[in-house]
Amino acid sequence: MMLTSASPLTDSSIDPKLVEKLAGLELTTVGELLRYVPRRYIRQGQVSATERPEPDEWITVIGRIEKSQMIAMKRRYGKFLKIVVNDGRSRYEASFFNAKYIQRVLLSGVRVALAGKVKYFNNQIQLSHPDWLVLPDDGMDVHGTSMMAELLADETGENGTGENGTGGNGTGEALTGTADDVEHFSRSIIPMYPATRDVQTWEIWRAVRQVLADTVPAADPLTDEQRTARGFITSDEAIRHVHLPETMEQIERADERLKFDEALAVQTALAQRRADLGSELSVGCVHVPGALEDQLLDRLPFELTGGQKTVLGEIGDDLAIDHPMNRLLQGEVGSGKTLVSLLAMLRVVDNGHQCAILAPTEVLAAQHYRTVMTMLDDLARGGELGAADGATRVGLLTGSLGTAAKRQTLLDAVTGESGIVIGTHALLEQNVEFFDLAMVVVDEQHRFGVEQRDVLRSKGRDDRRPHFLVMTATPIPRTVAMTTFGDLETSVMTELPRGRQPIKTTVVPMQKANWVHRVWERADEEIAAGRQVYVVCTRIGDEESNKKAAKKKGGKADGEEKEDDTISVLQQAELLETGPLARRRIAVLHGRMHADDKNEVMDAFTRGEIDVLVATTVIEVGVDVPNATTMAIVNAERFGVSQLHQLRGRVGRGQHAGLCLLMTPAHELSASMERLKAVEASNDGFELAMVDLRQRREGDVLGSLQSGGKSSLSFLSLIDDTEVIADARELSESIVDADRGLADHPALADLVRAILLPSRAEYLEKS
């Protein structure tokens, strides 16, 4: 049976057990498998590693056994096999228990592939019970190696799992499936696929090879003329060369073609979306002289920065037309984005419509409410005694709000009394209705899923789309990606208002006790000078009590199976209260506290009644305490670049310079340390966004993940391939202008479907 890219893998000749494994990688069709491309290639005679792996990372090592010996166990009876494998760059220690038979095969001098999870001991990479495969070598052909493996399988049982028969992937299994698996490592260029505990790189290659043999070549989305003009091979040739390369030149040419295909698919979908958006309606909102917008501007005790004025002009131009604004406002921490968004919303209110602000946490929603009410004062007290002429109302809606207050906010929203409603996810509930919602502002948009944001878009009046403004201090990878693709209009503010103080950032290795001691000594000095300190931890620390409560009910607590060696908020607070900061006023703040308790702690910290606030990331955005000058982030390696930049933006907001201390046990050569050093070296949020892109790639640009994780883009780099993107955009627009539904371009339509799976295409529609 000949296959097409749409054929399910269950129709292929791949072993059903392997098909089931591939489904765990979200590979269920021929097209999905063929676009699951090698992460890298190894040429025979060259080393495999390009960087030091992270703890718990699943890696594949190809090398030669330098040492193999049985070692007696110290704490119990028996022995285990320990081997040392050299890949030409690094040495890896691997241990096997119940290794009575394995020791006869894994001998010094043998060439092997190992696959397992990385651990470190005394700075040495360890693989405990890795899966393994003996590889061809001089004097040993593929057939001979396969026979050796089969002999081992005969002695260890059908699964090659060791004498107790309990093995399985990740437990020292001899992976002997077919001669193809061994042949994979006998090629001059070895493709290495992203693998997992359940499916190995050589199994993926075996499956790819089987479907390539049975798949009908797909029609090319480019014409001969378009291909020739760009010097491209066909799309089908590119797919085959990327999996079965004979030369590095074949890989390079395949990479060029598949890179363009990805750009073309995304740009075509975006061109179709832009064409559709051109027919959507919103309400035009023009400047109203002397109304709320002008009144607020007249009251400001300072002049707007040049950046604020420019951005307000861009937003004003968007609001004036009857098509929905779809704009991203990128601004450094403290650059004045909140004021810009408030002035824009007042323009909408001045035109008789409503606005909503969506914030990720109750702490931030409450902060926004206080800030807006302080800025507007009597301009926000419509219907009250002493309100200014033309005043509106500002509502607050959060999940923990009291029944009476929530009822009043809902009433003011549906009747139109509130011109601005500020809230958390509670705004997304079905019972929340607006009289005439015409603008939505999302703060820190990466904290919300696209589906959540789209709920507010659907609350416009008479099927009109509200204008949409998303704000972020540091673009996360997905935001930068979508911006580069041209899906959002972008406004940028890099100029900080006068008075903002510089922030010095230092990485502190937690292995060095004297460095850690100096952190708390430095914090104490700041407090003695009359200032305040944040201490940020990755988790709350009440997991143990949750476990006990769950066990009493006969259940299992979330995360019970996973140990977390990070320092929690509750642990850190206790350490400080009984140790270096025992004389100071210390409080904790985290997401599981009751909203009233959170507000009480935050208000007390703002008033200066608390010296040290030990918190989770609930203080990440929006919190503004000018007297807080120092932040210690414990286990900083657990945070992303953008999040670290956001966190440290909480200090240096007053008259004193800020200090941020990134405390970490990360290894000096690890990717985590590289990330922390980048944050230490730069206060430029846009530069750090590029660091995020380079280290974590673009994130799942076309999927539901917001950053990191599996990327839909295997070849295209948003940093390096701007010319490719521009070329693809120009071509896609010329096609879509003449054929929006791609009825005359079926191969291009197939390409869009192949790269933008239906769920991803729907997601892109909402973005």
Side-chain angles (χ1 to χ4, degrees):
M1 174 182 177
M2 295 305 289
L3 305 172
T4 67
S5 62
S7 300
L9 291 179
T10 50
D11 289 349
S12 71
S13 59
I14 302 174
D15 183 87
K17 292 182 179 178
L18 181 51
V19 169
E20 188 175 341
K21 287 183 179 182
L22 293 171
L25 294 175
E26 299 180 17
L27 306 176
T28 59
T29 69
V30 168
E32 289 169 359
L33 176 61
L34 293 182
R35 291 192 176 278
Y36 191 78
V37 295
R39 173 185 294 166
R40 56 192 169 90
Y41 298 88
I42 299 174
R43 299 184 68 175
Q44 293 289 5
Q46 291 188 352
V47 301
S48 61
T50 56
E51 62 181 22
R52 195 172 177 87
E54 292 281 302
D56 294 330
E57 181 180 349
W58 190 270
I59 65 168
T60 302
V61 175
I62 300 173
R64 194 174 300 280
I65 299 176
E66 287 187 340
K67 187 176 182 181
S68 176
Q69 63 180 131
M70 296 294 291
I71 299 176
M73 298 185 195
K74 293 182 178 179
R75 298 183 179 178
R76 56 178 176 155
Y77 177 77
K79 295 182 178 181
F80 69 93
L81 175 67
K82 178 179 179 181
I83 66 172
V84 178
V85 175
N86 190 332
D87 71 352
R89 185 179 189 275
S90 301
R91 286 180 170 82
Y92 304 81
E93 291 184 357
S95 302
F96 301 87
F97 298 90
N98 301 314
K100 179 179 177 182
Y101 300 104
I102 299 177
Q103 64 171 313
R104 295 167 51 186
V105 179
L106 299 186
L107 304 171
S108 294
V110 170
R111 187 166 171 266
V112 294
L114 303 177
K117 187 179 289 187
V118 171
K119 298 291 181 185
Y120 281 93
F121 181 72
N122 289 338
N123 206 30
Q124 171 65 52
I125 302 174
Q126 308 273 327
L127 300 174
S128 180
H129 276 274
D131 296 335
W132 56 273
L133 194 69
V134 173
L135 302 180
D137 205 348
D138 294 338
M140 181 185 296
D141 61 17
V142 174
H143 180 67
T145 305
S146 183
M147 286 182 62
M148 179 185 293
E150 287 169 8
L151 173 64
L152 180 68
D154 288 342
E155 291 187 327
T156 58
E158 285 185 0
N159 297 320
T161 54
E163 59 184 335
N164 62 2
T166 61
N169 282 352
T171 55
E173 183 177 349
L175 291 160
T176 62
T178 68
D180 266 356
D181 294 342
V182 180
E183 184 182 341
H184 175 234
F185 293 99
S186 67
R187 298 175 58 84
S188 59
I189 300 176
I190 304 170
M192 301 295 288
Y193 296 86
T196 68
R197 176 189 180 94
D198 297 318
V199 57
Q200 302 295 349
T201 182
W202 49 84
E203 293 178 295
I204 297 169
W205 186 78
R206 184 204 316 165
V208 166
R209 200 171 154 176
Q210 286 176 275
V211 299
L212 278 175
D214 298 329
T215 300
V216 177
D220 201 297
L222 297 183
T223 65
D224 291 344
E225 182 181 354
Q226 290 166 344
R227 270 200 318 274
T228 301
R230 293 168 174 81
F232 287 158
I233 59 177
T234 68
S235 185
D236 184 70
E237 287 174 317
I239 286 288
R240 294 176 185 276
H241 287 170
V242 82
H243 293 292
L244 302 172
E246 298 296 336
T247 65
M248 294 306 292
E249 182 187 3
Q250 285 185 345
I251 296 173
E252 290 169 5
R253 297 199 68 192
D255 181 87
E256 289 176 0
R257 177 58 205 269
L258 295 175
K259 182 183 297 183
F260 185 83
D261 281 357
E262 287 184 346
L264 183 61
V266 175
Q267 288 299 329
T268 299
L270 289 174
Q272 290 174 309
R273 182 179 183 276
R274 283 192 295 271
D276 292 339
L277 281 176
S279 61
E280 288 191 344
L281 293 177
S282 186
V283 291
C285 299
V286 298
H287 174 241
V288 180
L292 295 175
E293 180 186 358
D294 282 354
Q295 291 182 58
L296 176 58
L297 279 170
D298 290 342
R299 295 181 178 193
L300 293 177
F302 52 81
E303 185 178 351
L304 297 180
T305 66
Q308 287 174 316
K309 292 176 181 178
T310 299
V311 169
L312 277 170
E314 293 170 346
I315 294 174
D317 290 342
D318 285 351
L319 293 177
I321 60 177
D322 60 358
H323 293 296
M325 172 177 70
N326 194 28
R327 183 168 290 274
L328 171 67
L329 174 54
Q330 300 177 111
E332 278 290 3
V333 175
S335 60
K337 297 184 300 296
T338 301
L339 176 57
V340 166
S341 66
L342 178 56
L343 288 166
M345 286 187 288
L346 290 180
R347 179 168 299 191
V348 173
V349 174
D350 287 342
N351 280 264
H353 309 292
Q354 292 173 286
C355 303
I357 302 178
L358 184 60
T361 66
E362 291 195 350
V363 170
L364 182 53
Q367 175 82 27
H368 272 310
Y369 181 74
R370 286 192 295 266
T371 300
V372 170
M373 291 300 293
T374 300
M375 286 183 175
L376 295 181
D377 194 19
D378 58 340
L379 299 177
R381 304 190 184 280
E384 298 180 22
L385 193 63
D389 291 340
T392 187
R393 286 187 186 175
V394 177
L396 175 65
L397 186 64
T398 63
S400 62
L401 202 64
T403 302
K406 184 178 293 185
R407 185 180 296 118
Q408 186 62 53
T409 298
L410 292 174
L411 180 62
D412 288 347
V414 76
T415 61
E417 292 296 321
S418 286
I420 299 174
V421 181
I422 301 168
T424 57
H425 295 77
L427 282 176
L428 307 174
E429 294 175 6
Q430 192 171 3
N431 66 327
V432 179
E433 297 180 12
F434 291 85
F435 179 72
D436 187 6
L437 181 64
M439 182 175 179
V440 174
V441 176
V442 178
D443 197 10
E444 297 310 320
Q445 58 92 30
H446 62 279
R447 301 286 289 273
F448 296 95
V450 169
E451 290 80 3
Q452 294 170 313
R453 299 199 297 270
D454 199 55
V455 170
L456 276 180
R457 276 177 163 163
S458 68
K459 293 181 182 285
R461 184 174 178 177
D462 299 330
D463 295 326
R464 293 179 308 202
R465 283 269 196 173
H467 296 288
F468 209 76
L469 180 69
V470 295
M471 302 193 299
T472 184
T474 302
I476 60 164
R478 183 182 182 279
T479 306
V480 177
M482 296 303 287
T483 302
T484 303
F485 279 120
D487 185 52
L488 298 172
E489 297 297 330
T490 308
S491 293
V492 178
M493 295 196 306
T494 57
E495 181 182 357
L496 296 181
R498 283 190 291 273
R500 281 307 303 264
Q501 301 299 318
I503 302 172
K504 178 175 174 54
T505 303
T506 301
V507 176
V508 177
M510 293 173 70
Q511 304 92 325
K512 299 181 180 180
N514 59 324
W515 284 58
V516 174
H517 175 74
R518 179 56 186 152
V519 168
W520 307 125
E521 189 177 64
R522 187 71 182 82
D524 195 52
E525 291 169 2
E526 286 293 304
I527 298 169
R531 297 185 277 276
Q532 294 163 278
V533 175
Y534 293 107
V535 178
V536 180
C537 300
T538 60
R539 59 191 177 93
I540 298 170
D542 57 358
E543 294 83 0
E544 191 60 38
S545 60
N546 286 345
K547 287 182 192 177
K548 292 177 181 177
K551 286 179 179 177
K552 283 183 180 179
K553 296 179 181 178
K556 184 183 291 184
D558 291 341
E560 182 175 346
E561 309 252 337
K562 188 176 180 181
E563 294 282 335
D564 193 334
D565 56 0
T566 58
I567 300 175
S568 71
V569 165
L570 300 182
Q571 289 171 330
Q572 189 64 70
E574 183 178 0
L575 288 170
L576 296 178
E577 287 169 344
T578 58
L581 300 179
R583 299 177 297 118
R584 303 305 181 184
R585 298 168 296 177
I586 299 173
V588 300
L589 181 70
H590 57 75
R592 289 207 188 104
M593 294 169 61
H594 189 275
D596 291 342
D597 295 333
K598 283 189 286 189
N599 289 334
E600 184 178 335
V601 169
M602 204 62 235
D603 288 344
F605 189 66
T606 302
R607 293 192 300 267
E609 297 168 4
I610 295 171
D611 298 318
V612 182
L613 184 62
V614 186
T616 57
T617 55
V618 293
I619 55 95
E620 178 184 347
V621 291
V623 175
D624 188 2
V625 181
N627 193 48
T629 56
T630 301
M631 175 177 287
I633 303 177
V634 186
N635 294 114
E637 76 284 351
R638 297 298 183 100
F639 300 103
V641 169
S642 298
Q643 198 169 28
L644 290 171
H645 184 60
Q646 287 276 17
L647 285 166
R648 71 175 169 188
R650 300 309 105 210
V651 298
R653 303 177 76 87
Q655 58 181 329
H656 301 288
L659 175 64
C660 180
L661 303 168
L662 306 177
M663 304 174 67
T664 179
H667 188 276
E668 188 67 27
L669 298 179
S670 67
S672 293
M673 182 60 77
E674 180 184 346
R675 190 166 65 246
L676 297 180
K677 289 291 187 181
V679 177
E680 179 184 57
S682 177
N683 277 313
D684 185 333
F686 299 96
E687 178 183 330
L688 292 175
M690 292 300 107
V691 172
D692 244 354
L693 273 172
R694 290 193 182 280
Q695 192 172 76
R696 298 163 60 195
R697 295 211 57 178
E698 289 79 5
D700 193 356
V701 174
L702 311 178
S704 58
L705 296 180
Q706 295 296 298
S707 62
K710 178 184 173 184
S711 175
S712 301
L713 302 179
S714 300
F715 299 93
L716 197 65
S717 167
L718 303 183
I719 300 173
D720 302 324
D721 298 324
T722 53
E723 291 183 5
V724 175
I725 293 170
D727 183 16
R729 177 166 181 159
E730 183 178 350
L731 177 59
S732 65
E733 285 183 339
S734 67
I735 293 172
V736 171
D737 284 347
D739 181 20
R740 184 185 299 188
L742 303 181
D744 298 328
H745 296 79
L748 178 55
D750 287 342
L751 179 69
V752 173
R753 279 192 292 271
I755 293 178
L756 278 71
L757 303 180
S759 60
R760 290 174 179 160
E762 179 184 353
Y763 180 82
L764 191 62
E765 279 293 315
K766 296 178 178 180
S767 297

